Amino acid sequence: MSDADGTLTALARALERTQRKVGDLETLVRQLSADVTRLTRARPPAGDETGTAGSGVGGWLAARDVEAGATGLRDLIDWVESVYLRYPDGELPSCWLWHPVVVEELWWLHGAHSTAFDDEEGSWQRIGDWHDRFRPGVARRLRAAVGSCELALHTAGTDLHDGSVVPLANAASDIARAWTTSRALPEPDSQQLVTAERHDRAQHRRGHR
């Protein structure tokens, strides 16, 4: 083999090694890009303290933005009615919106549900976890948190569903405004008290059938 042939062979081998390294780098870049996308979806953007309940962003207890809070509650109410209340133990007292911890529990449960069933992020394991652990755990904690509470107990001087309809959903905007601006929840008005009493009475009857 001539010196020229040897040089060409060495160059060819070096080029082959370089091409393999470039291919490995391209694979690594694609993996890093996918990881960044997952992290972006899993964590709130800088300065974003709340978001829609199903986005996995923020939460209710730390909410500060009135509009985002109201949007998140409307999204949460739709999900509670279409998913959470479909389960036998998925009951809510009429005063659920007046319990920030209840809203927070449902908020993250909604986010976990959305992630579990997401086309890209979801998996059968996550779906199983949601059904087996997350949802029953939230239902159990909500029963412990609110017990037999009712809206009348949230009026001044006190201690503190119809079917699958979320109780007093029309109070969401007032609740969101009060909580995100002052952390002081509004006193229920007379019409809400009547609606709550009717709801709680009907739920009590269903529970003793």
Side-chain angles (χ1 to χ4, degrees):
M1 179 184 296
S2 66
D3 291 342
D5 290 339
T7 301
L8 287 175
T9 300
L11 287 173
R13 289 174 178 171
L15 178 61
E16 184 179 355
R17 288 194 298 270
T18 300
Q19 288 174 336
R20 284 199 300 269
K21 290 180 180 179
V22 169
D24 292 341
L25 284 174
E26 289 178 346
T27 300
L28 179 59
V29 168
R30 286 195 295 269
Q31 183 60 52
L32 288 174
S33 177
D35 291 343
V36 169
T37 299
R38 282 193 293 271
L39 288 172
T40 300
R41 290 174 176 170
R43 296 179 63 85
D48 188 359
E49 294 179 332
T50 188
T52 59
S55 68
V57 173
W60 179 243
L61 294 178
R64 287 291 189 276
D65 186 283
V66 176
E67 183 176 352
T71 299
L73 275 186
R74 287 194 296 269
D75 184 43
L76 179 62
I77 286 169
D78 289 342
W79 178 84
V80 167
E81 184 167 335
S82 62
V83 177
Y84 185 77
L85 291 181
R86 302 299 171 179
Y87 291 85
D89 57 346
E91 296 183 350
L92 287 176
S94 58
C95 56
W96 74 284
L97 281 171
W98 277 260
H99 290 270
V101 67
V102 172
V103 178
E104 180 80 355
E105 288 272 14
L106 293 171
W107 191 287
W108 84 257
L109 184 65
H110 179 8
H113 182 269
S114 298
T115 299
F117 285 88
D118 183 78
D119 289 340
E120 296 183 6
E121 301 298 316
S123 68
W124 287 114
Q125 181 177 353
R126 286 184 172 182
I127 292 172
D129 283 342
W130 191 89
H131 282 284
D132 190 50
R133 297 192 297 118
F134 297 163
R135 191 206 61 78
V138 167
R140 183 175 61 253
R141 289 193 297 274
L142 293 192
R143 286 194 298 272
V146 299
S148 58
C149 190
E150 58 186 56
L151 194 63
L153 299 178
H154 291 264
T155 57
T158 57
D159 292 332
L160 252 222
H161 15 216
D162 296 334
S164 295
V165 177
V166 177
L168 293 165
N170 58 359
S173 294
D174 291 339
I175 292 285
R177 183 177 299 104
W179 181 254
T180 54
T181 57
S182 65
R183 289 296 188 272
L185 295 174
E187 183 178 347
D189 60 33
S190 58
Q191 182 58 49
Q192 290 170 335
L193 290 171
V194 170
T195 301
E197 183 180 4
R198 187 182 304 117
H199 164 87
D200 292 340
R201 190 183 304 117
Q203 184 164 275
H204 179 76
R205 286 198 301 269
R206 286 195 299 272
H208 287 78
R209 287 175 181 173

